[in-house]
Amino acid sequence: MPVIDWDENGQPKVKPAFKYYWAITAPLTLSIFLSWGLAMLLPWHRWIPKFSGNRNKQTNGDIEPPPR
C-alpha cells in the first residue's frame, strides 16, 4: 500500500489513509515496549517457583539466578 501520492507538479503528497498506519503502529509499538519493560523489571525468577509449587526443590545442575 503506497502512502505517498504525487500531485500534478511532481510534489509528494501523503495519502489520507496514512493515518490508519499510525493508528495501528504507534499503540502496538508502545504496548510492546511496555511489556518488555515490565518483563525486565519484575522479579519473575522469584514468582515462578511460588506459583508452580516447587519452592524448595533441588535442581539438577541448573544455575540459580542471583539473589536481589
Side-chain angles (χ1 to χ4, degrees), residues 1-7 11-22:
M1 172 175 119
V3 294
I4 297 177
D5 250 347
W6 302 97
D7 62 6
Q11 298 295 321
K13 190 169 110 179
V14 177
K15 287 187 177 182
F18 191 53
K19 63 185 170 188
Y20 299 122
Y21 168 79
W22 286 113

mmCIF file of all heavy atoms in Angstrom, residues 1-7 11-22:
data_model
loop_
_atom_site.group_PDB
_atom_site.id
_atom_site.type_symbol
_atom_site.label_atom_id
_atom_site.label_comp_id
_atom_site.label_asym_id
_atom_site.label_seq_id
_atom_site.Cartn_x
_atom_site.Cartn_y
_atom_site.Cartn_z
ATOM 1 N N MET A 1 0.841 -1.167 0.000
ATOM 2 C CA MET A 1 0.000 0.000 0.000
ATOM 3 C C MET A 1 0.893 1.240 0.000
ATOM 4 O O MET A 1 1.510 1.577 1.002
ATOM 5 C CB MET A 1 -0.882 -0.050 1.260
ATOM 6 C CG MET A 1 -1.672 1.192 1.490
ATOM 7 S SD MET A 1 -2.756 0.994 2.886
ATOM 8 C CE MET A 1 -2.124 2.263 3.928
ATOM 9 N N PRO A 2 0.980 1.902 -1.104
ATOM 10 C CA PRO A 2 1.768 3.134 -1.158
ATOM 11 C C PRO A 2 1.135 4.224 -0.287
ATOM 12 O O PRO A 2 -0.075 4.368 -0.236
ATOM 13 C CB PRO A 2 1.735 3.539 -2.623
ATOM 14 C CG PRO A 2 1.139 2.416 -3.373
ATOM 15 C CD PRO A 2 0.432 1.536 -2.390
ATOM 16 N N VAL A 3 1.966 4.973 0.387
ATOM 17 C CA VAL A 3 1.460 6.016 1.275
ATOM 18 C C VAL A 3 1.711 7.411 0.727
ATOM 19 O O VAL A 3 1.268 8.386 1.311
ATOM 20 C CB VAL A 3 2.065 5.892 2.687
ATOM 21 C CG1 VAL A 3 1.600 4.623 3.353
ATOM 22 C CG2 VAL A 3 3.557 5.970 2.649
ATOM 23 N N ILE A 4 2.416 7.504 -0.385
ATOM 24 C CA ILE A 4 2.718 8.812 -0.966
ATOM 25 C C ILE A 4 2.133 8.883 -2.370
ATOM 26 O O ILE A 4 2.288 7.979 -3.169
ATOM 27 C CB ILE A 4 4.233 9.063 -1.014
ATOM 28 C CG1 ILE A 4 4.794 9.090 0.402
ATOM 29 C CG2 ILE A 4 4.549 10.342 -1.741
ATOM 30 C CD1 ILE A 4 6.282 9.269 0.469
ATOM 31 N N ASP A 5 1.446 9.951 -2.641
ATOM 32 C CA ASP A 5 0.933 10.248 -3.982
ATOM 33 C C ASP A 5 1.742 11.410 -4.544
ATOM 34 O O ASP A 5 2.358 12.177 -3.804
ATOM 35 C CB ASP A 5 -0.534 10.672 -3.906
ATOM 36 C CG ASP A 5 -1.454 9.639 -4.492
ATOM 37 O OD1 ASP A 5 -0.980 8.721 -5.167
ATOM 38 O OD2 ASP A 5 -2.674 9.764 -4.247
ATOM 39 N N TRP A 6 1.718 11.555 -5.851
ATOM 40 C CA TRP A 6 2.415 12.663 -6.497
ATOM 41 C C TRP A 6 1.362 13.551 -7.141
ATOM 42 O O TRP A 6 0.512 13.094 -7.878
ATOM 43 C CB TRP A 6 3.399 12.146 -7.538
ATOM 44 C CG TRP A 6 4.399 11.216 -6.924
ATOM 45 C CD1 TRP A 6 4.350 9.861 -6.914
ATOM 46 C CD2 TRP A 6 5.580 11.585 -6.206
ATOM 47 N NE1 TRP A 6 5.418 9.355 -6.227
ATOM 48 C CE2 TRP A 6 6.195 10.387 -5.785
ATOM 49 C CE3 TRP A 6 6.155 12.799 -5.866
ATOM 50 C CZ2 TRP A 6 7.358 10.374 -5.053
ATOM 51 C CZ3 TRP A 6 7.334 12.775 -5.139
ATOM 52 C CH2 TRP A 6 7.919 11.587 -4.740
ATOM 53 N N ASP A 7 1.408 14.832 -6.848
ATOM 54 C CA ASP A 7 0.439 15.739 -7.461
ATOM 55 C C ASP A 7 0.901 16.118 -8.868
ATOM 56 O O ASP A 7 1.922 15.665 -9.356
ATOM 57 C CB ASP A 7 0.190 16.965 -6.578
ATOM 58 C CG ASP A 7 1.423 17.819 -6.362
ATOM 59 O OD1 ASP A 7 2.453 17.527 -6.977
ATOM 60 O OD2 ASP A 7 1.339 18.784 -5.565
ATOM 61 N N GLN A 11 5.149 17.077 -6.849
ATOM 62 C CA GLN A 11 5.450 17.154 -5.418
ATOM 63 C C GLN A 11 4.818 15.956 -4.692
ATOM 64 O O GLN A 11 3.697 15.568 -4.993
ATOM 65 C CB GLN A 11 4.905 18.459 -4.825
ATOM 66 C CG GLN A 11 5.510 19.702 -5.404
ATOM 67 C CD GLN A 11 6.999 19.801 -5.061
ATOM 68 O OE1 GLN A 11 7.422 19.465 -3.968
ATOM 69 N NE2 GLN A 11 7.775 20.254 -6.023
ATOM 70 N N PRO A 12 5.541 15.406 -3.727
ATOM 71 C CA PRO A 12 4.948 14.283 -2.982
ATOM 72 C C PRO A 12 3.836 14.759 -2.050
ATOM 73 O O PRO A 12 3.884 15.850 -1.499
ATOM 74 C CB PRO A 12 6.122 13.730 -2.181
ATOM 75 C CG PRO A 12 7.103 14.831 -2.102
ATOM 76 C CD PRO A 12 6.910 15.685 -3.312
ATOM 77 N N LYS A 13 2.815 13.920 -1.909
ATOM 78 C CA LYS A 13 1.679 14.226 -1.061
ATOM 79 C C LYS A 13 1.275 12.946 -0.332
ATOM 80 O O LYS A 13 1.089 11.906 -0.950
ATOM 81 C CB LYS A 13 0.531 14.721 -1.936
ATOM 82 C CG LYS A 13 -0.636 15.291 -1.188
ATOM 83 C CD LYS A 13 -1.577 15.986 -2.141
ATOM 84 C CE LYS A 13 -2.839 15.184 -2.258
ATOM 85 N NZ LYS A 13 -3.821 15.786 -3.139
ATOM 86 N N VAL A 14 1.171 13.023 0.989
ATOM 87 C CA VAL A 14 0.821 11.847 1.789
ATOM 88 C C VAL A 14 -0.664 11.560 1.621
ATOM 89 O O VAL A 14 -1.504 12.455 1.675
ATOM 90 C CB VAL A 14 1.149 12.085 3.279
ATOM 91 C CG1 VAL A 14 0.720 10.908 4.122
ATOM 92 C CG2 VAL A 14 2.625 12.350 3.460
ATOM 93 N N LYS A 15 -0.982 10.270 1.419
ATOM 94 C CA LYS A 15 -2.377 9.877 1.253
ATOM 95 C C LYS A 15 -3.127 9.986 2.573
ATOM 96 O O LYS A 15 -2.550 9.849 3.647
ATOM 97 C CB LYS A 15 -2.453 8.433 0.746
ATOM 98 C CG LYS A 15 -2.055 8.271 -0.689
ATOM 99 C CD LYS A 15 -2.325 6.848 -1.129
ATOM 100 C CE LYS A 15 -2.006 6.677 -2.590
ATOM 101 N NZ LYS A 15 -2.311 5.319 -3.042
ATOM 102 N N PRO A 16 -4.437 10.224 2.519
ATOM 103 C CA PRO A 16 -5.240 10.334 3.749
ATOM 104 C C PRO A 16 -5.264 9.039 4.568
ATOM 105 O O PRO A 16 -5.419 9.075 5.780
ATOM 106 C CB PRO A 16 -6.636 10.680 3.250
ATOM 107 C CG PRO A 16 -6.458 11.202 1.882
ATOM 108 C CD PRO A 16 -5.217 10.562 1.333
ATOM 109 N N ALA A 17 -5.114 7.893 3.942
ATOM 110 C CA ALA A 17 -5.162 6.612 4.658
ATOM 111 C C ALA A 17 -3.910 6.359 5.491
ATOM 112 O O ALA A 17 -3.859 5.390 6.237
ATOM 113 C CB ALA A 17 -5.361 5.474 3.661
ATOM 114 N N PHE A 18 -2.934 7.242 5.401
ATOM 115 C CA PHE A 18 -1.701 7.071 6.174
ATOM 116 C C PHE A 18 -1.975 7.136 7.672
ATOM 117 O O PHE A 18 -1.248 6.566 8.470
ATOM 118 C CB PHE A 18 -0.682 8.133 5.754
ATOM 119 C CG PHE A 18 0.704 7.911 6.291
ATOM 120 C CD1 PHE A 18 1.352 6.704 6.110
ATOM 121 C CD2 PHE A 18 1.362 8.914 6.972
ATOM 122 C CE1 PHE A 18 2.632 6.499 6.592
ATOM 123 C CE2 PHE A 18 2.643 8.725 7.458
ATOM 124 C CZ PHE A 18 3.274 7.517 7.269
ATOM 125 N N LYS A 19 -3.064 7.786 8.063
ATOM 126 C CA LYS A 19 -3.417 7.872 9.486
ATOM 127 C C LYS A 19 -3.749 6.500 10.061
ATOM 128 O O LYS A 19 -3.534 6.250 11.233
ATOM 129 C CB LYS A 19 -4.571 8.837 9.697
ATOM 130 C CG LYS A 19 -5.854 8.417 9.022
ATOM 131 C CD LYS A 19 -6.928 9.468 9.163
ATOM 132 C CE LYS A 19 -8.099 9.118 8.273
ATOM 133 N NZ LYS A 19 -9.064 10.185 8.224
ATOM 134 N N TYR A 20 -4.237 5.576 9.246
ATOM 135 C CA TYR A 20 -4.541 4.231 9.731
ATOM 136 C C TYR A 20 -3.255 3.475 10.074
ATOM 137 O O TYR A 20 -3.241 2.671 11.003
ATOM 138 C CB TYR A 20 -5.353 3.446 8.705
ATOM 139 C CG TYR A 20 -6.680 4.090 8.415
ATOM 140 C CD1 TYR A 20 -7.015 4.470 7.128
ATOM 141 C CD2 TYR A 20 -7.596 4.334 9.434
ATOM 142 C CE1 TYR A 20 -8.230 5.071 6.858
ATOM 143 C CE2 TYR A 20 -8.811 4.940 9.175
ATOM 144 C CZ TYR A 20 -9.116 5.298 7.887
ATOM 145 O OH TYR A 20 -10.315 5.897 7.635
ATOM 146 N N TYR A 21 -2.207 3.730 9.322
ATOM 147 C CA TYR A 21 -0.905 3.130 9.623
ATOM 148 C C TYR A 21 -0.455 3.551 11.019
ATOM 149 O O TYR A 21 -0.060 2.724 11.832
ATOM 150 C CB TYR A 21 0.121 3.559 8.568
ATOM 151 C CG TYR A 21 1.537 3.224 8.949
ATOM 152 C CD1 TYR A 21 2.016 1.937 8.805
ATOM 153 C CD2 TYR A 21 2.392 4.200 9.453
ATOM 154 C CE1 TYR A 21 3.326 1.622 9.156
ATOM 155 C CE2 TYR A 21 3.686 3.902 9.807
ATOM 156 C CZ TYR A 21 4.154 2.612 9.652
ATOM 157 O OH TYR A 21 5.436 2.315 10.003
ATOM 158 N N TRP A 22 -0.533 4.844 11.317
ATOM 159 C CA TRP A 22 -0.112 5.341 12.629
ATOM 160 C C TRP A 22 -1.071 4.911 13.726
ATOM 161 O O TRP A 22 -0.650 4.708 14.875
ATOM 162 C CB TRP A 22 0.032 6.857 12.612
ATOM 163 C CG TRP A 22 1.262 7.269 11.881
ATOM 164 C CD1 TRP A 22 1.316 7.941 10.699
ATOM 165 C CD2 TRP A 22 2.619 7.009 12.251
ATOM 166 N NE1 TRP A 22 2.621 8.121 10.311
ATOM 167 C CE2 TRP A 22 3.453 7.546 11.257
ATOM 168 C CE3 TRP A 22 3.222 6.353 13.318
ATOM 169 C CZ2 TRP A 22 4.832 7.468 11.307
ATOM 170 C CZ3 TRP A 22 4.598 6.272 13.371
ATOM 171 C CH2 TRP A 22 5.388 6.831 12.368
#
